[in-house]
């Protein structure tokens, strides 16, 4: 299959491109310098060159706090960008995979079970709203679509690029004597390597639709950091704090664990748990 990955230099983009190429697909990567999804003409020009059968959009505006003060910028990239892609793909009978986020949830403060695809979303931030709008555009406009909700991505590109939560904790754990880390946001940070494996298997099925895809289990950012320090052999004092104590500009979901059982049923692939994924990342 001829596949074009938009955002090919990002953490997911790099791992996904390598995984799909390893499957024998003809994969083209497009960076922000080569395509601007906010611009329909840019999309037409770039995709005319690669002539894909499947477009995978990993590009996103992910400055969650800044989105509160510039929601129009987040909406342009996360909502109107996917809309432009969906229109182009629908017109040219191309399949589209849109990468979305667990931040489309968060309004249900009493939630204790992982969200499934049929559960009603409820964002609590401008970023979450923009990602949900992008989902709706893709699902409404492009019949051959995959919409993938995932969470807290970390991958090898983060070691040399813009970083990720894991890399930030590794650095701060070595630089500081103590760290205060949020312990009331429940989610499942996900390895881009495992996500890429799951998505490659999903693409092979051609079973379009909405999917939740994360590593198994659930944790908090504090628990993740503590596990990380133990694996890496870093000794640093840690203090659990609340979301309110952290006082970020944007609200975050207190519970946004995603249930990936639908994906596992379709692909017959059991995604590793988050502890195994983290250890594999640290050891690699």
């Amino acid at each position: 299959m001829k596949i074009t990955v938009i955002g090919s230099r990002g953490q997911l983009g790099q791992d996904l491109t390598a995984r799909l190429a390893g499957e024998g697909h003809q994969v083209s990567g497009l960076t922000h310098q080569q395509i601007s999804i906010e611009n329909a003409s840019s999309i037409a020009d770039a995709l005319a060159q690669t002539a894909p059968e499947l477009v995978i959009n990993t590009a996103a505006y992910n400055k969650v706090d800044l989105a509160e003060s510039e929601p129009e910028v987040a909406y342009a990239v996360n909502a109107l960008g996917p809309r432009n892609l969906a229109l182009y793909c629908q017109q040219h009978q191309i399949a589209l995979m849109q990468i979305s986020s667990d931040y489309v949830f968060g309004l249900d403060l009493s939630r204790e079970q992982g969200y499934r695809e049929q559960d009603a979303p409820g964002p609590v931030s401008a970023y979450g709203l923009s990602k949900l709008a992008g989902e709706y555009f893709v699902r409404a406009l492009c019949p051959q679509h995959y919409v993938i909700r995932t969470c807290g991505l970390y991958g090898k590109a983060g070691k040399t690029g813009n970083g990720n939560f894991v890399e930030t904790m590794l650095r701060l754990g070595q630089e500081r004597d103590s760290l205060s880390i949020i312990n009331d946001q429940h989610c499942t940070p996900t390895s881009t390597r495992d996500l890429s494996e799951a998505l490659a298997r999903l693409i092979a099925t051609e079973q379009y639709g909405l999917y939740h895809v994360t590593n198994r289990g659930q944790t908090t950012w504090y628990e993740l950091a503590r596990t990380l320090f133990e694996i890496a052999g870093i000794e640093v004092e840690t203090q659990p704090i609340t979301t309110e104590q952290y006082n970020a500009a944007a609200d975050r979901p207190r519970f946004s664990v995603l249930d990936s059982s639908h994906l596992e049923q379709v692909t017959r692939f059991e995604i590793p748990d988050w502890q195994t994924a983290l250890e594999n990342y640290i050891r690699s």
Side-chain angles (χ1 to χ4, degrees):
M1 182 183 292
K2 294 183 69 177
I3 301 174
T4 295
V5 178
I6 298 174
S8 56
R9 288 185 183 170
Q11 294 180 100
L12 177 58
Q14 287 194 32
D15 279 351
L16 191 53
T17 297
R19 180 65 184 81
L20 292 170
E23 285 282 301
H25 296 294
Q26 185 178 334
V27 186
S28 302
L30 293 174
T31 66
H32 184 64
Q33 287 71 36
Q34 296 169 304
I35 186 172
S36 175
I37 61 173
E38 306 97 300
N39 186 311
S41 296
S42 175
I43 289 173
D45 291 343
L47 295 184
Q49 296 295 317
T50 60
E53 300 166 80
L54 168 66
V55 172
I56 303 176
N57 181 34
T58 72
Y61 175 104
N62 54 19
K63 301 172 184 176
V64 177
D65 290 321
L66 191 57
E68 295 298 307
S69 58
E70 53 177 37
E72 70 284 356
V73 181
Y75 193 82
V77 179
N78 294 341
L80 297 182
R83 178 182 183 273
N84 292 334
L85 286 170
L87 285 170
Y88 182 90
C89 288
Q90 186 274 332
Q91 292 165 1
H92 294 83
Q93 297 183 324
I94 299 169
L96 173 61
M97 176 177 283
Q98 169 68 19
I99 306 301
S100 190
S101 169
D102 63 310
Y103 276 49
V104 302
F105 295 108
L107 199 59
D108 184 354
L109 298 178
S110 62
R111 187 80 183 191
E112 294 182 350
Q113 297 294 320
Y115 283 100
R116 304 193 72 174
E117 290 82 355
Q118 60 266 35
D119 289 322
V124 294
S125 66
Y127 166 78
L129 283 166
S130 71
K131 293 297 288 184
L132 182 60
E135 288 187 11
Y136 284 154
F137 280 131
V138 170
R139 296 173 68 186
L141 298 171
C142 184
Q144 294 176 292
H145 68 259
Y146 306 94
V147 171
I148 309 298
R149 292 173 179 157
T150 189
C151 173
L153 298 183
Y154 62 91
K156 63 181 181 180
K159 296 183 179 182
T160 55
N162 294 328
N164 52 51
F165 178 83
V166 174
E167 291 301 318
T168 298
M169 287 297 104
L170 287 173
R171 174 175 57 81
L172 293 179
Q174 294 171 325
E175 293 176 353
R176 301 183 184 180
D177 295 327
S178 64
L179 294 171
S180 297
I181 307 163
I182 293 174
N183 196 37
D184 63 352
Q185 295 175 16
H186 299 262
C187 58
T188 312
T190 300
S191 159
T192 54
R193 182 177 179 180
D194 291 337
L195 178 57
S196 295
E197 176 69 24
L199 296 185
R201 291 171 181 259
L202 177 61
I203 289 166
T205 71
E206 296 187 357
Q207 296 295 307
Y208 302 115
L210 173 64
Y211 292 90
H212 291 176
V213 192
T214 67
N215 283 114
R216 283 174 166 250
Q218 66 182 71
T219 187
T220 67
W221 298 109
Y222 174 80
E223 292 167 351
L224 176 71
R226 289 297 307 158
T227 304
L228 167 64
F229 294 144
E230 182 177 346
I231 294 171
I234 296 175
E235 294 187 10
V236 57
E237 182 181 346
T238 56
Q239 296 293 334
I241 60 172
T242 65
T243 298
E244 287 74 19
Q245 287 174 301
Y246 190 75
N247 195 31
D251 196 8
R252 265 77 167 172
R254 301 302 192 275
F255 188 93
S256 59
V257 177
L258 304 179
D259 183 333
S260 301
S261 58
H262 176 48
L263 179 282
E264 293 185 347
Q265 290 168 2
V266 170
T267 61
R268 301 190 183 279
F269 170 61
E270 185 171 302
I271 304 170
D273 60 66
W274 69 266
Q275 296 97 327
T276 300
L278 185 63
E279 185 160 2
N280 288 340
Y281 178 81
I282 299 301
R283 305 296 188 203
S284 65

